[in-house]
Amino acid sequence: MPTVHVFARDHINTDEIIPARHLTSDIEAELAKYAMEDYDKDFVKRVKQGDIVVAGADFGCGSSREHAVWSLRGAGVAAVLAPNFARIFYRNAINNGFLALEAQGIVEAFSDGDQADLDLKQGTITNQRTGQSVTFVPVAQFALDVQQAGGWLEYMKASDQATLEAETLQARSTESGHGHAGRPQGDEQSMEPVHESTPQ
């Protein structure tokens, strides 16, 4: 059963998640040594694989560094739950297959050290000490697929071309619009068929 680590303050920024002085590596195991160092220097001593972070609103604000996600994942954090996230952090989380779950009332429902049951299918997290359950915004299937693959790059490698084209609206044409397929360079298959008139 994962342990919950509560960082209740709003607007925890990426420099608090991973201080800029440690951005000398992009290796998760190295970054993990300094996760949340400027907020709680003992966090990395307590966190275990599969644990959960509960945080205040606007978590991950500040710079766009992906290192913030890498450091948390490298430290063993399986998911972060907060009322909402900074937009770029949230997108970095999806791209890296890391769970960032929006849940109103989450900070009030947990104390540091509580154990929790996270149910992605039901969209709930339950405090095992109190029995209270909190719902979170359902995770889109696409995001779950990326998470299960281990990140966007791994997902792309595992997906065939047809699947990728379907997820990008099959937009092979560079000139398409207004109901026609366009005439992209080097892509004869997506060109509109030419209908020659038949002599009467």
Side-chain angles (χ1 to χ4, degrees):
M1 191 72 65
T3 297
V4 174
H5 305 268
V6 178
F7 299 97
R9 203 193 79 213
D10 293 344
H11 313 297
I12 294 175
N13 63 53
T14 51
D15 199 47
E16 292 174 294
I17 298 171
I18 178 67
R21 61 184 175 274
H22 298 306
L23 301 182
T24 56
S25 172
D26 58 4
I27 299 173
E28 288 191 8
E30 187 65 25
L31 294 168
K33 300 175 184 178
Y34 312 108
M36 305 300 296
E37 183 179 76
D38 284 357
Y39 192 104
D40 180 358
K41 60 183 177 59
D42 294 323
F43 170 70
V44 294
K45 299 176 182 177
R46 301 193 311 272
V47 67
K48 305 296 182 185
Q49 192 68 37
D51 280 358
I52 295 168
V53 165
V54 163
D58 196 33
F59 184 81
C61 59
S63 74
S64 60
R65 66 187 65 157
E66 288 185 287
H67 300 71
V69 170
W70 297 340
S71 65
L72 290 172
R73 186 169 64 181
V77 176
V80 177
L81 288 93
N84 52 64
F85 295 86
R87 179 180 58 82
I88 295 177
F89 178 90
Y90 187 75
R91 186 64 209 182
N92 284 340
I94 292 176
N95 287 345
N96 284 278
F98 184 72
L99 293 174
L101 307 173
E102 295 182 329
Q104 296 300 318
I106 189 66
V107 172
E108 295 77 13
F110 285 89
S111 297
D112 201 52
D114 283 345
Q115 292 190 317
D117 178 27
L118 182 66
D119 190 328
L120 293 178
K121 291 184 177 180
Q122 295 297 322
T124 61
I125 181 170
T126 303
N127 187 326
Q128 293 299 302
R129 175 178 60 86
T130 65
Q132 180 181 357
S133 292
V134 176
T135 60
F136 51 82
V137 176
V139 183
Q141 186 59 50
F142 167 74
L144 285 176
D145 291 344
V146 172
Q147 188 261 338
Q148 291 168 2
W152 174 245
L153 291 178
E154 289 75 13
Y155 174 76
M156 287 179 61
K157 293 174 184 177
S159 300
D160 59 28
Q161 187 63 31
T163 299
L164 288 176
E165 288 178 1
E167 288 172 353
T168 55
L169 304 181
Q170 297 183 2
R172 301 181 67 181
S173 171
T174 58
E175 298 178 5
S176 60
H178 302 291
H180 66 79
R183 291 179 175 269
Q185 294 292 327
D187 188 4
E188 302 302 322
Q189 291 182 349
S190 65
M191 293 174 61
E192 288 182 331
V194 176
H195 299 286
E196 296 182 358
S197 60
T198 303
Q200 296 298 321

